[in-house]
Amino acid sequence: MENTTIIQERLAALRRRMQDERFDAFIVPSNDPHFSEYVAPHWGCRAWISGFDGSAGTVVVTRDRAALWTDSRYFLQAAEQLAGTGIELQRAGLPQTPSIPEWLNAARAVRVGTDGRLFSRTAFDSLRNDLSPYGIEPIPADDPFAAIWTDRPALPQAPASLLDTTYSGETAKNKLDRIRAAQPDGAVRIVAVLDEIAWTLNIRGGDIDYNPLVIGYLAIEPERAVLFADPNKFPPGDRERLHREAGTEIRPYEAFPEYLASLQGRPVIVHPNGLDMHHWTILETAGATILPETAPHSLISAFKAVKNSVEICGFRQAMERDGAALVRFEMWLERTIISGGRPTELEIAAKLHDFRSAGDGFQGESFETIAGYGDHGAIVHYSATEESDRAVDTDDFLLIDSGGQYPYGTTDITRTYHFGRPTGEQKRNYTAVLKGMIDLCAARFPAGTRGAQLDVLARRHLWNLGQNYLHGTGHGVGHFLCVHEGPQSIRMNENPVVLEPGMVQSCEPGLYLAGKYGIRIENLTLATAEDCPEGFLRFEPLTLCPISVTALDTQALEQSQREWLNRYHRMVCERLSPYLEADERQWLEEKTRPV
């Protein structure tokens, strides 16, 4: 926890900047100029100004008040870290909690500043619409933390490299040509979203936690491409190769605004969700002819979502490597607990990392492992801390959600375990979740189907019990990129994106009983037309790991569900056995025997 006096001094410094700019208030979101899921320390402005270091939250500072909005995952942590700072905790989602516009109105704020780099054009327009009924004007400003955060971390300096086509399956030149062919003659495309840049140029790095990305901007011109990133991150040979093979030059990251200002009269393609308000304003001021993409997602996002044959083979290879590590981990976990050991949630996460890192090709986790025992498993995005860390016992569920990065693919898997004698209620609920997971994974559906049209398959058995879950059922997954990617999804909310052959997505129904336990079972799947009637698609299961049957009521399975589970387990055993030692194979054979 930051010293409360330090936080008050930081708030005072920000208020002095606000006074200079005649702002009544300033909004500090949890974001970076590239809208990354994980924010590098350089852009940890919200954590710095408040002392609250949870992953989600927004701080609003007025001349004499300050408040932080965060969700239920962080109510306790935020209350502790904000104590004594003078920053009010606003518990988002509770009926009595005012919205940010309501709070600003009560504080009589009129001119509200925010760093224009931390809001996309779409997000800034949304903020303006929300504030307008109260007569409040949002103003995109320069970054005040550049002046007041004297020991601010530098931009990440992780080394970068080129991803060989033996992994990517397509050259950067060919991707650039495909992109150019889909845009008007003479147009320049601006790309700020990091995984879109990484996919387009076949580059990977380590600037963002869990995501192998390089911080930069990309301009795709008719005859060349310009990457605005630190050139020193790339070995000289890679810089030369990128120029020779893909016509791409690298300029300093800081040169991007000057480049935008030079585009007077040029047609410029940009997605309103994919460029921040600060740089959008530079384009407008320069007199560029902005051509906003009108689809819910960018062209590059759509291209990236459909994996080619090499990427698909890579996913299968990643699942085999990952699955073998998971078998060794699960074998250790079961034997440890049955023999009386009681590993804690943090120890379990560390041990799983050890098993993965001992295998070939492992490049790191694809997100922070969630290991939640008992009622911790009911917190959807639970993250164990030293204070919350709990030992695992035999009378409740243990939920583990984890994933790995490999140069040939990205994994994401959730399994829920019970190491004792589950109650009737626990078995009924576990079985309903698994039946929904099976029904969705086993689905055949017409080409042109959207995820929202399939979502009910994962929920219907829970609905029959009067239960539901509030998160989406499936998200897209990148190829050695971000574990959460669009544009497709499987969820109750409507998403116009149709599922296409080559898309990889999760299937992860769950059930969360507050104060009791959580259940989630997740596989990654590939949308494919293979072995389907003409005009239809199905999901091929990619994840290779046994599904616990300890809490499964096998009598409640329909015959088709039983056949799917047995077929899946047979495939898991056949595919993973070559990677395992004799005792590990024996353990896996026991866990995958027919039900």
Side-chain angles (χ1 to χ4, degrees):
M1 183 190 307
E2 294 281 359
N3 183 286
T4 56
T5 301
I6 293 176
I7 297 302
Q8 291 166 355
E9 290 173 352
R10 293 172 181 175
L11 288 169
L14 178 58
R15 287 178 173 127
R16 287 192 292 272
R17 297 286 300 185
M18 291 163 50
Q19 180 75 27
D20 293 342
E21 299 291 335
R22 297 183 297 109
F23 289 139
D24 302 311
F26 204 88
I27 299 176
V28 186
S30 304
N31 209 351
D32 69 11
H34 307 280
F35 321 111
S36 306
E37 181 176 1
Y38 299 97
V39 175
H42 177 80
W43 285 294
C45 305
R46 185 265 302 154
W48 182 83
I49 197 67
S50 67
F52 166 67
D53 58 8
S55 65
T58 299
V59 168
V60 182
V61 180
T62 69
R63 301 286 180 87
D64 56 5
R65 295 176 66 189
L68 176 136
W69 281 256
T70 191
D71 61 52
S72 59
R73 291 175 291 167
Y74 298 111
F75 287 169
L76 294 177
Q77 177 184 341
E80 178 182 336
Q81 293 183 323
L82 297 180
T85 64
I87 301 175
E88 307 163 17
L89 172 59
Q90 301 292 344
R91 295 171 172 84
L94 298 186
Q96 66 271 27
T97 301
S99 66
I100 290 176
E102 291 169 340
W103 189 87
L104 284 168
N105 184 54
R108 299 183 179 180
V110 177
R111 283 174 50 87
V112 176
T114 192
D115 183 353
R117 295 171 180 81
L118 304 185
F119 282 80
S120 69
R121 176 61 194 256
T122 299
F124 191 84
D125 287 346
S126 178
L127 177 66
R128 178 187 288 125
N129 292 337
D130 291 343
L131 295 177
S132 178
Y134 300 95
I136 301 173
E137 179 188 7
I139 300 169
D142 290 334
D143 177 9
F145 297 95
I148 67 175
W149 190 354
T150 56
D151 58 347
R152 186 175 187 174
L155 288 170
Q157 296 297 315
S161 62
L162 302 186
L163 184 68
D164 196 84
T165 53
T166 56
Y167 297 126
S168 70
E170 185 178 11
T171 65
K173 179 182 183 305
N174 196 65
K175 292 178 180 180
L176 289 166
D177 288 345
R178 280 207 285 151
I179 293 166
R180 291 180 178 118
Q183 58 194 42
D185 291 342
V188 179
R189 180 180 294 272
I190 299 298
V191 188
V193 179
L194 301 184
D195 67 330
E196 295 184 8
I197 297 172
W199 177 86
T200 300
L201 298 180
N202 287 339
I203 61 175
R204 298 295 188 270
D207 285 341
I208 303 293
D209 287 347
Y210 306 110
N211 302 151
L213 304 175
V214 179
I215 289 176
Y217 297 94
L218 177 64
I220 303 174
E221 299 179 354
E223 302 297 333
R224 65 168 184 173
V226 184
L227 172 65
F228 296 89
D230 184 348
N232 295 320
K233 293 180 179 180
F234 294 86
D238 282 359
R239 294 201 299 269
E240 192 277 332
R241 180 182 166 192
L242 198 59
H243 185 268
R244 182 182 71 253
E245 297 181 0
T248 301
E249 62 182 74
I250 303 178
R251 296 185 188 175
Y253 182 78
E254 296 76 15
F256 182 60
E258 181 181 359
Y259 172 83
L260 293 181
S262 73
L263 296 179
Q264 179 180 6
R266 297 284 298 273
V268 178
I269 301 170
V270 62
H271 199 288
N273 290 335
L275 186 65
D276 64 86
M277 190 64 189
H278 172 80
H279 288 108
W280 189 289
T281 302
I282 292 176
L283 278 175
E284 289 181 328
T285 304
T289 302
I290 299 178
L291 307 176
E293 290 189 276
T294 56
H297 54 275
S298 70
L299 174 75
I300 295 176
S301 177
F303 283 169
K304 175 167 56 67
V306 178
K307 276 58 180 178
N308 59 47
S309 60
V310 172
E311 291 173 316
I312 291 169
C313 288
F315 266 107
R316 295 187 181 119
Q317 183 180 1
M319 298 301 169
E320 291 173 351
R321 300 290 186 182
D322 208 58
L326 286 162
V327 165
R328 296 184 179 102
F329 163 76
E330 290 185 6
M331 183 174 162
W332 165 83
L333 179 63
E334 180 183 74
R335 291 182 174 179
T336 298
I337 293 175
I338 289 177
S339 64
R342 295 294 179 262
T344 69
E345 295 161 336
L346 288 176
E347 290 169 349
I348 286 170
K351 195 71 173 179
L352 178 51
H353 182 275
D354 290 344
F355 277 109
R356 278 195 168 107
S357 60
D360 293 338
F362 181 65
Q363 303 293 306
E365 295 170 331
S366 56
F367 57 96
E368 183 180 10
T369 296
I370 298 169
Y373 179 69
D375 62 347
H376 287 173
I379 303 171
V380 176
H381 294 291
Y382 173 70
S383 177
T385 65
E386 295 290 344
E387 293 76 21
S388 72
D389 195 20
R390 178 181 297 169
V392 173
D393 214 318
T394 59
D395 57 355
D396 224 330
F397 284 118
L398 169 65
L399 186 155
I400 302 178
D401 188 354
S402 69
Q405 293 283 11
Y406 301 84
Y408 24 81
T410 299
T411 73
D412 180 4
I413 175 175
T414 308
R415 291 293 185 263
T416 303
Y417 309 94
H418 199 297
F419 298 103
R421 296 173 62 87
T423 66
E425 178 202 270
Q426 289 173 334
K427 295 186 72 169
R428 180 174 65 252
N429 289 333
Y430 183 90
T431 302
V433 172
L434 180 55
K435 289 171 71 173
M437 185 262 201
I438 291 173
D439 284 357
L440 179 56
C441 287
R444 287 190 176 189
F445 48 93
T449 296
R450 306 180 306 280
Q453 295 171 293
L454 298 176
D455 184 79
V456 66
L457 296 176
R459 297 179 190 266
R460 68 185 184 97
H461 300 289
L462 288 167
W463 287 356
N464 288 339
L465 298 177
Q467 304 283 7
N468 195 18
Y469 55 94
L470 300 181
H471 60 72
T473 299
H475 57 82
V477 179
H479 175 264
F480 189 32
L481 281 173
C482 300
V483 74
H484 300 121
E485 79 166 19
Q488 82 276 26
S489 64
I490 302 173
R491 58 191 312 118
M492 295 176 69
N493 314 74
E494 180 55 44
N495 178 352
V497 177
V498 302
L499 296 168
E500 299 182 49
M503 285 183 168
V504 173
Q505 50 281 310
S506 67
C507 170
E508 49 182 309
L511 177 63
Y512 312 94
L513 302 181
K516 297 180 71 174
Y517 54 79
I519 302 166
R520 184 162 66 249
I521 307 170
E522 175 189 17
N523 273 6
L524 299 191
T525 66
L526 170 72
T528 178
E530 291 184 7
D531 301 322
C532 287
E534 185 175 354
F536 275 75
L537 304 178
R538 66 177 177 90
F539 290 128
E540 172 193 329
L542 292 174
T543 301
L544 298 173
C545 182
I547 297 170
S548 175
V549 297
T550 303
L552 175 63
D553 179 1
T554 57
Q555 298 304 310
L557 292 177
E558 299 169 15
Q559 184 60 30
S560 61
Q561 295 164 343
R562 188 187 311 273
E563 291 173 354
W564 186 96
L565 182 60
N566 289 336
R567 187 167 57 249
Y568 173 73
H569 273 160
R570 185 165 58 249
M571 177 185 71
V572 168
C573 193
E574 291 173 353
R575 295 270 299 279
L576 296 185
S577 289
Y579 295 90
L580 304 175
E581 301 295 332
D583 61 332
E584 296 164 347
R585 287 196 297 271
Q586 183 178 357
W587 183 91
L588 179 60
E589 289 169 0
E590 173 65 20
K591 295 302 173 184
T592 57
R593 70 180 189 275
V595 297

